[in-house]
Amino acid sequence: MNSIPMYTTPLGYKPTTERPIPHAQMALLTNSTKLVPDSDSDSYFFRDLEEHGILLNEAQIKAVRHFKGPLLTLAGAGSGKTTVLVCRVAYLLRVHQVQPANLLLITFSKKAAEEMRERLTTLPGLHASMANVMQVRTFHAFCLRLLRMNGLQQEILSDGRFQQIVFKRIMLSMGLQDTYQPEVLISLLSSYKMQLMEVEDLPEGTEEEQEVKKIFLQYEQWKMEQQKIDFDDILIKAYQLLLLNAEILRSMQRKFTYISVDEFQDTNTVQYEIIKMIAAAHQNLMVVGDDDQTIYSFNGARNEFILQFHEQYPTATTVTLDINYRSTSSIVGLGNAIIKHNVQRKSKTLLATKESTQKPHYVKPANSDDEADWLIDDIRLKVAEGGSQYGDFAILYRTASNSRAIIEQLILHNLPFVDYGTNDSFYEQWMVKPIIDHLRIAHERRNFEAIEGVLPSLYIGRDQGMRIIQDQEAIQAKKWPLIHLLGLPQLKEFQKEKLKARIRLIKSLVEMTPLAAIQAIRKDFYDTFLETNKRSKLTQHREMLKETLDELESSAKRFNTVEQFLYFIHEVAEKRTEMRMQSKEQFADKISLMTIHKSKGLEFPIVYLLCAIEGNMPHSSALDASHLDDVKMAGVAGRDKGTAALEEERRLAYVAVTRAKGELLISSPAFYRGKKAEPSRFLLSAFPGADAGVVTSRSKPAGGFTATSGAAAGRSAVAGGAATGGRSATSGAVAGAAATATERVAAWLCSAAGCKAWSRISSPQEARLAAKACPLCGAGMVKGSREIALARR
């Protein structure tokens, strides 16, 4: 048993009256039985709901009763938004006698649409025929139906794999094979389109931009010639149809007099424009969402659509669903305490309905592998005690690479799980596989599949390289088939020398430990290859590339020989394939593994949140947001990109925490990929006494996490106390200040790493400001608090 102590705070110190564990206030469970008297003209509707076990609270009743005009429903995590949506539809049908055909209910997933349609049929007074007449659809389904009704004949390019093949063929025809990742190009094109940018207008300032634009143009030309459209085209063409055809738009406006949009925080520009056009004539638009759960900005989601809803619709009513029915008071309280530090948000504090039987727990394992060992032991213990089933557990993480250690342990211990991420294993990722292929050739010099995998890193095309190797092998087989590449006519002398050097490197790897071999490959050529490779520059922040390869080193260091490591990788791949075949069983009792992004909208009895540390949560890419694409950061005009990225990271932490219904366990490893790590600032900020504005120094590309500096280090150390172990002591000035009488004041705190600037919020006018620039460095400042010494009397 891997015994790691659990704490009730992220740093391990005991809560005191000065530093209480966050708890949400308990809600008064008043519902429609008291709030809607029989004398009300619509009381029959609520009595029928009550007979079916649906007891609406005051805010829910207000949203359900809303009839005319725009309505913004801010639905906090676990607040029953789906119930409100379907009950309002039922209210419009039964109380206001709205015709089912005049209702449009839009959501984001087919599963959600099916669930809403099914729930509507179970509500009193409604029947299946009504649900069949109503338009309860996803954006894409609604837009495709609109296009088909107006003559669209093109076939939908629905197979993502075939779409990638099309991109690969285009790149091959341009001599750019292995230059860019098709799936990333598809994502990039989608980002441009969803911001209503035409391919013809894309930038051409660099060689990469010119190449990518040509690929996109050829893809658009191919679709036109083949009479095909992709999923993004469905939205774009529907938007253009409504924009350019006034009669069709008027028809839609006459038909859909009541519109409801679910998950409004996930709406992108094209989707919002379509809804605005249809709703323009009557403005009977109900949008339901939570700006605190906007975590898809990289897909074009714009949380300012919620934040600025009243600017678009000045007469809009706002209803806040602030009672959480999902989680216990300590989980809701932790979520509240995390998210309140965001500046760009609608102010709301969730209430709880469930008392906590146990508080969130925090562990500090030594590293990711110890984290995985602890987690496996904890799950097995909970199941063995009989109180839990495997299906009760969810394991959440910030990035897919965080799952490497836990997936391997689950496989090796034969525990049932479903991985909701990619089907590829960690070792099949495009930046990892070439290194593994080098190791495979070192172990098995005639592994032709691995030989093909290393060719791009030699700047040799796969087809051309394998053709000469196979042709020459047929004439005379070589001990090291890679040597045949010297016969390529276009190779210059320096390229031949590099090829010989690569073969010498591969020969030397077999005598090394796997860790030393990987480090040798990276040092000799691979890190430089990735940094200069076009696909890397286009698709990955340097830190994200580095962290994936660091994770590979963490895995390799457990093995003594390359052969052992390769056998382990093979074993994991075999068992992963075997378990993937089994995971097709529906309703299976299996542990759920997913990124935080994948978990939104879901809930689980027990949640493990892994790797809640600085550099991972918030992610290092958010701490250095200058690289972020302007298109993917749309909606932050006038705001510092770093501040916007940091607030989205905080929303991710909030989403992760609020997935848990009854038990939440958060792990913050002491070391991460060989570097010392600190607990996530989002966790520290949730506890009074751990300053909300503390910002650790930014991760440096070549090294690990640096210690907090100056005043920030002092705040962190005072908050952490001595119980954490291994944390640096506070300076004399800070330590001495501990004995001085202090008070905590509201303040603006600079979010930039290394900047210590802060200013007191000294007036109501200043407190109402949404954002403020730092007077020293110009970065965005966030609202928080600051401990100051009381004046001596």
Side-chain angles (χ1 to χ4, degrees), residues 6-21:
M6 291 188 186
Y7 301 99
T8 54
T9 63
L11 298 180
Y13 57 73
K14 293 181 180 179
T16 66
T17 54
E18 292 79 26
R19 297 184 183 126
I21 293 171

Side-chain angles (χ1 to χ4, degrees), residues 162-180:
F162 183 65
Q163 193 179 18
Q164 291 181 25
I165 290 171
V166 173
F167 271 84
K168 285 181 179 179
R169 287 174 178 169
I170 291 170
M171 287 189 285
L172 181 63
S173 70
M174 296 172 61
L176 297 173
Q177 62 270 31
D178 299 317
T179 304
Y180 304 107

Side-chain angles (χ1 to χ4, degrees), residues 36-37 156 203 206 214 219 233 245 252 260 266 343 406 416 519 697:
V36 181
I156 308 301
T206 66
K214 287 179 182 177
Y219 172 64
D233 293 329
N245 194 315
M252 290 290 102
S260 302
D266 293 338
V343 175
I406 185 60
Q519 290 173 336
S697 297

Side-chain angles (χ1 to χ4, degrees), residues 49 53 104 155-156 191 276 280 301 303 359 418 462 679 688:
L49 289 182
L104 174 61
E155 183 183 351
I156 308 301
S191 295
K276 282 196 298 184
N303 76 332
K359 302 172 179 65
V418 179
R462 292 174 186 264

Side-chain angles (χ1 to χ4, degrees), residues 72 74 264 272 276 287 291 302-314 316 318 344-346 634-639 770:
L72 171 61
L74 295 171
F264 187 61
Y272 191 28
K276 282 196 298 184
V287 299
D291 54 301
R302 307 271 295 269
N303 76 332
E304 77 269 19
F305 292 155
I306 286 183
L307 299 179
Q308 299 170 9
F309 191 74
H310 280 77
E311 295 178 18
Q312 180 68 39
Y313 300 100
T318 298
Q344 294 293 324
R345 65 183 293 259
K346 293 281 189 180
V636 301
R639 297 179 60 202

